[in-house]
Amino acid sequence: MSEKKKGTLELPKMPANVGRLLPVLGAILLVFGAVLVWDGWRQDRAEAVEERVLTQRDRASAALLAQIGAQRERFGQRRADPGIASALEAGDEEEARRAFLAGAPANSVVEFHPVDFAPIFEGDLAEFGFGRLALLERSLNSGDSQVAMLREGGQPWLGLAGPVIAEGRVLAVALLRSPADTLIAELRERVPGGGYLGLKQGRFVVGEAGDGELAALSEARAQPLQGTPMRITAAAPVVTSGIMDRPMGYILGGLLLLAGIGAILHGLRTVRGARTTPADAAGEGGGEEVIFADALKQPRPQAAPDAVAADADADADAPQRPKPVAAKRGGVALDRSIFRAYDVRGVVGKTLDRGVAVLLGQAIGTLMHEREQTDIVVGRDGRLSGPEMVDGLIEGLRAAGRNVTDIGEAATPVVYFAAFHLRTGSCVAVTGSHNPPDYNGFKIVVGGETLSGGTITDLYERISAGRLHTAAETGLRHEREVAADYIERIAGDIQIERRIKVVVDCGNGVPGAIAPDVLEAIGCEVVPLFCEVDGTFPNHHPDPSDPANLTDLINMVQRMDADLGLAFDGDGDRLGVVTRQGEIIYPDRLLMLFAQDVLVRNPGACVIYDVKCTGHLAGHILRHGGSPVMWKTGHSLIKAKMRETEAELAGEMSGHFFFRERWYGFDDGIYAAARLLEIIASDGREPEEIFAELPKGVSTPELKIEMEEGDHYAFIEKFRERAKFEGARIATIDGIRADWPDGWGLVRASNTTPVVVLRFDADSAEALSRIQAAFREQLLAIDPELILPF
């Protein structure tokens, strides 16, 4: 072999066939590197747009609050104006109106209403507007100015209401309505390019600007306007999942680009070098080694199109693995705490978002696949996050190959009904039930079984372990209306014997869209109260188990001289009842009435009640020929016990009622209301007389001690181990219930919110005080720092 040339770089030896593949490999690396760099740039750009949108949202919020604050201040000054008060006292409303409007925005209108609102109730209440009435009542109850958006003639108006007071006496309640044009103009000036801003109150879109196609995504970035029921919603184009986090994406992309360039150059050099082998240069069996300088002089090798084409064909024919369903980038992490005893429930934006809903949908679809269930019904309540949660849930269900019937906005019992009516056997109600507006959740039925306990936590385990079924073919989705079928089914079975006038308070929950229609269909005269579906629940919390939420209903029953008042929770599976005298008929006493009615036709039937119900209930069931069974609290647990015992009826202190006789056995507040009215109408007496016959002690509503998430379970475990109640019969199926001959007390952990729930019931006030004192001593022995609500 000849001597190596000095001052030159030797080309590493490499087989020629390998060298020909290096340019192909380099090109692939270049492509992947470029994709990673582009993907990082795309995410940066999208997030920059989102940041601008949120900045403009905050600025718009500040500007609108300043405008509303200025109008509110001026309104307060007019309410306190002695001249306006004097004019009202003299009966000169025209002079009061002129003075009130001085300096008000152009085209403003002011009204003065008497404090009893008699002309409103005597007229057409629906024509006057429930929103206007609610604003007037809030201002009168608070004694101060209140603000809200009103819709008049299809146009938005800013409404300000407040009492006009002179010498401690309310002369009238003033209502000022001003055009919302300046507020909407402020919004439109702020919207950034490529984004969306909206001014909303509940579902009422006051004004919006920007890309309207983003409106459906805007609630996730909503910001309340403090002191008002309004909010600014905002959305930017979706930042879809990146291939990887940007810092790593940029770094890896850059490395791949460099590696690709190096592979191409090295491959070209190797191929060129292969053309000048030792045998070529010096004859057979001899010659000197190829050096870099000589290799550069060789002609450039041609690509191998056949080989490249073959590789491309092979890639095209390779089976494509389905992409796993995963939460979107930037979404919330999957939190085990949302998988609760009876359902899945969390706070939107903190523990729940669309990505979590997708994963949950695929987990439910996987369970259905294992149980050979193919079809499922999905419906949602009126919460603002509902559409987003439903879309994610359905995406996951379809990824698992399930066929979805979307019934849209519907009360939870209507969703349950649809599963029977459409013969799917499976359904999911997307609802936050009675929780605050920022909550949402999922009540799940698979193959007729309402998931609870271990089957709920198993969904979390499936997601965490990646044990999710992905079908070869995506499931189908179609929409179906079932409200008319639900109404027809109930009205076909129940027609009351005499006309009863009822006030129906839906607390702006989804029952407002159907409960009045059901009760009218069975023959009632219905006065709707807060029946406009509004996911912000602007009037009061939709939880009839809290007496404070029944105040408006009691007032309306008395004003309208109605026979009865009915209240529903946020998704319609719970019922509350009040009388004309203002008495709250607690659900355990309602269950007595239902039981004696059902037992007439089903002697010996099993009736289930939860641990929070009165001690008088078991004896009442026995006296009417039934078999009482006390069980754990929770709608899914009660339904499972009903299947086990073949019970005809069940009920909970929270207001859930389950009829298997003539119905389907699921909890349905609307159907329970119809059955109650059927019983009352057939009796002939006034409702108060009927209720007066039911055993009644001295009792408390549900009392709650708030704790940190998870601490309430630990507290109950300690209480179960240490508490001692002399002379009491102890039940531990759900917390600790201590029964004495003259009363009982209960302490248990809520399975829906982090609170300890207490309830007490006794034959007399003295017995109640004694039982509460016994529980107080035991509770404080566990934690002396507890603040007890009794």
Side-chain angles (χ1 to χ4, degrees):
M1 184 176 294
S2 63
E3 187 178 320
K4 298 176 183 178
K5 295 183 181 180
K6 296 180 180 181
T8 59
L9 176 67
E10 294 184 17
L11 184 69
K13 294 180 180 180
M14 182 178 292
N17 58 342
V18 176
R20 293 190 185 97
L21 292 178
L22 281 177
V24 177
L25 176 61
I28 293 172
L29 293 174
L30 283 175
V31 169
F32 277 111
V35 167
L36 286 175
V37 172
W38 171 84
D39 184 62
W41 171 84
R42 176 186 61 81
Q43 293 179 65
D44 276 337
R45 181 174 176 274
E47 291 195 0
V49 173
E50 182 176 23
E51 186 176 342
R52 289 198 300 272
V53 168
L54 296 181
T55 298
Q56 291 300 83
R57 177 204 63 184
D58 295 343
R59 291 175 179 173
S61 176
L64 266 59
L65 280 173
Q67 278 197 42
I68 294 170
Q71 293 196 45
R72 199 170 193 167
E73 182 179 2
R74 183 200 155 281
F75 180 79
Q77 292 170 352
R78 290 293 183 271
R79 285 198 305 113
D81 189 329
I84 293 175
S86 298
L88 288 174
E89 286 185 303
D92 190 353
E93 280 198 14
E94 188 59 37
E95 174 58 24
R97 190 174 291 109
R98 184 195 63 75
F100 217 102
L101 291 175
N107 300 319
S108 295
V109 178
V110 68
E111 308 165 359
F112 298 102
H113 297 278
V115 293
D116 61 359
F117 303 132
I120 299 174
F121 291 112
E122 291 169 1
D124 188 333
L125 191 56
E127 183 178 346
F128 180 81
F130 292 102
R132 290 168 70 187
L133 175 60
L135 179 59
L136 288 167
E137 289 196 316
R138 282 204 305 273
S139 67
L140 182 60
N141 292 336
S142 69
D144 199 359
S145 301
Q146 297 291 320
V147 61
M149 276 293 170
L150 304 173
R151 183 157 37 192
E152 301 285 341
Q155 299 298 318
W157 297 73
L158 180 66
L160 284 159
V164 179
I165 303 174
E167 298 179 352
R169 184 166 58 93
V170 179
L171 304 177
V173 183
L175 174 62
L176 176 69
R177 291 180 288 127
S178 302
D181 299 350
T182 57
L183 299 177
I184 297 171
E186 185 71 50
L187 189 77
R188 289 174 177 164
E189 288 179 7
R190 301 285 181 182
V191 67
Y196 169 88
L197 291 178
L199 174 60
K200 299 181 182 179
Q201 178 177 287
R203 297 187 170 192
F204 177 22
V205 180
V206 180
E208 55 186 348
D211 185 355
E213 293 184 358
L214 298 175
L217 305 175
S218 64
E219 292 296 344
R221 297 291 186 270
Q223 177 169 290
L225 293 179
Q226 296 299 324
T228 82
M230 292 172 277
R231 64 193 183 283
I232 298 284
T233 63
V238 176
V239 183
T240 54
S241 301
I243 298 173
M244 60 176 57
D245 289 339
R246 277 161 299 164
M248 286 302 300
Y250 283 133
I251 293 170
L252 183 57
L255 292 174
L256 288 175
L257 288 173
L258 291 174
I261 294 170
I264 291 172
L265 291 177
H266 200 84
L268 293 176
R269 293 163 187 164
T270 301
V271 172
R272 288 171 182 163
R275 291 179 177 271
T276 311
T277 64
D280 292 333
E284 190 70 26
E288 59 185 30
E289 295 181 6
V290 180
I291 59 175
F292 183 63
D294 292 336
L296 291 177
K297 299 175 183 178
Q298 300 299 324
R300 181 169 181 165
Q302 298 297 313
D306 292 340
V308 175
D311 288 343
D313 290 341
D315 290 341
D317 293 337
Q320 299 299 308
R321 182 179 298 276
K323 293 183 179 179
V325 177
K328 297 293 184 183
R329 182 183 177 279
V332 303
L334 188 68
D335 188 336
R336 190 187 186 100
S337 69
I338 70 174
F339 293 81
R340 300 174 181 266
Y342 330 131
D343 52 31
V344 178
R345 191 178 305 178
V347 179
V348 177
K350 293 183 179 178
T351 57
L352 194 62
D353 67 358
R354 187 183 188 281
V356 173
V358 172
L359 292 172
L360 179 63
Q362 194 172 14
I364 296 169
T366 301
L367 179 61
M368 291 178 64
H369 171 69
E370 293 172 358
R371 297 186 179 184
E372 299 183 349
Q373 302 287 320
T374 58
D375 300 290
I376 186 168
V377 171
V378 171
R380 61 180 173 84
D381 68 12
R383 289 166 189 268
L384 303 177
S385 59
E388 182 182 13
M389 294 298 105
V390 164
D391 283 345
L393 177 76
I394 292 178
E395 179 183 329
L397 287 166
R398 294 181 65 207
R402 303 309 97 185
N403 301 320
V404 181
T405 299
D406 181 2
I407 65 170
E409 189 176 88
T412 293
V414 178
V415 180
Y416 294 154
F417 166 80
F420 283 91
H421 184 65
L422 302 178
R423 295 178 174 82
T424 66
S426 301
C427 64
V428 179
V430 179
T431 174
S433 188
H434 60 283
N435 289 95
D438 55 345
Y439 276 74
N440 215 324
F442 307 84
K443 295 180 179 179
I444 308 160
V445 178
V446 174
E449 176 193 352
T450 302
L451 302 193
S452 64
T455 52
I456 291 284
T457 54
D458 181 63
L459 296 176
Y460 171 80
E461 300 298 339
R462 289 176 184 274
I463 297 170
S464 298
R467 294 185 288 110
L468 300 176
H469 172 64
T470 301
E473 293 186 7
T474 302
L476 302 176
R477 174 180 184 172
H478 71 277
E479 298 178 356
R480 171 75 182 266
E481 289 283 345
V482 297
D485 299 318
Y486 177 81
I487 295 170
E488 182 181 359
R489 170 66 176 82
I490 296 176
D493 179 53
I494 300 174
Q495 284 292 315
I496 61 175
E497 296 181 13
R498 61 185 174 92
R499 195 160 180 80
I500 297 177
K501 185 176 183 179
V502 294
V503 178
V504 176
D505 181 357
C506 295
N508 299 112
V510 72
I514 195 168
D517 294 336
V518 169
L519 300 182
E520 286 180 348
I522 69 171
C524 292
E525 179 184 348
V526 177
V527 178
L529 178 65
F530 309 137
C531 287
E532 305 88 350
V533 181
D534 183 340
T536 64
F537 310 123
N539 295 292
H540 65 73
H541 201 56
D543 181 2
S545 67
D546 185 347
N549 296 326
L550 300 175
T551 302
D552 293 325
L553 178 61
I554 292 171
N555 291 337
M556 185 65 81
V557 169
Q558 294 171 343
R559 284 175 179 169
M560 303 302 293
D561 193 30
D563 296 295
L564 209 61
L566 305 174
F568 299 100
D569 71 333
D571 66 331
D573 57 9
R574 295 196 291 139
L575 171 67
V577 177
V578 302
T579 68
R580 187 188 291 118
Q581 280 69 39
E583 181 185 6
I584 298 171
I585 308 301
Y586 286 111
D588 50 4
R589 296 184 69 217
L590 289 176
L591 186 57
M592 294 180 191
L593 191 61
F594 290 140
Q596 66 188 51
D597 176 65
V598 168
L599 290 170
V600 168
R601 295 177 295 278
N602 303 272
C606 180
V607 178
I608 298 174
Y609 60 96
D610 79 323
V611 295
K612 294 186 290 184
C613 288
T614 175
H616 296 289
L617 182 54
H620 190 79
I621 294 169
L622 287 168
R623 283 192 296 274
H624 286 83
S627 302
V629 174
M630 185 168 69
W631 194 237
K632 301 175 183 179
T633 295
H635 68 93
S636 56
L637 306 178
I638 293 287
K639 280 181 272 194
K641 195 66 173 177
M642 286 186 75
R643 287 197 304 274
E644 176 189 331
T645 60
E646 297 186 349
E648 293 291 343
L649 174 69
E652 294 184 276
M653 184 60 195
S654 59
H656 290 267
F657 296 101
F658 312 75
F659 289 86
R660 200 171 71 131
E661 188 216 37
R662 298 163 54 191
W663 200 234
Y664 300 97
F666 56 74
D667 41 334
D668 188 339
I670 301 170
Y671 179 76
R675 289 287 289 259
L676 173 64
L677 295 170
E678 179 187 46
I679 294 169
I680 291 173
S682 65
D683 189 289
R685 292 176 294 169
E686 291 297 315
E688 290 83 358
E689 296 178 74
I690 299 171
F691 295 134
E693 288 188 347
L694 302 174
K696 180 183 179 182
V698 181
S699 63
T700 68
E702 290 186 22
L703 307 173
K704 299 176 181 178
I705 304 173
E706 294 186 3
M707 295 188 175
E708 294 296 324
E709 186 69 54
D711 289 354
H712 56 316
Y713 293 118
F715 180 86
I716 292 299
E717 284 303 314
K718 289 182 182 178
F719 192 81
R720 182 184 286 113
E721 293 171 2
R722 303 181 190 178
K724 304 294 181 184
F725 295 103
E726 296 297 331
R729 184 177 70 255
I730 305 298
T732 59
I733 57 173
D734 188 1
I736 300 289
R737 173 166 166 155
D739 279 78
W740 288 269
D742 57 352
W744 58 274
L746 169 74
V747 56
R748 61 177 292 273
S750 168
N751 285 311
T752 57
T753 52
V755 299
V756 168
V757 178
L758 305 102
R759 189 172 186 240
F760 304 97
D761 181 88
D763 293 340
S764 65
E766 292 76 16
L768 186 72
S769 296
R770 188 192 79 247
I771 294 169
Q772 287 182 322
F775 270 82
R776 184 182 299 110
E777 179 183 356
Q778 300 292 329
L779 290 165
L780 294 178
I782 303 296
D783 184 355
E785 303 298 320
L786 280 181
I787 300 175
L788 300 178
F790 64 93

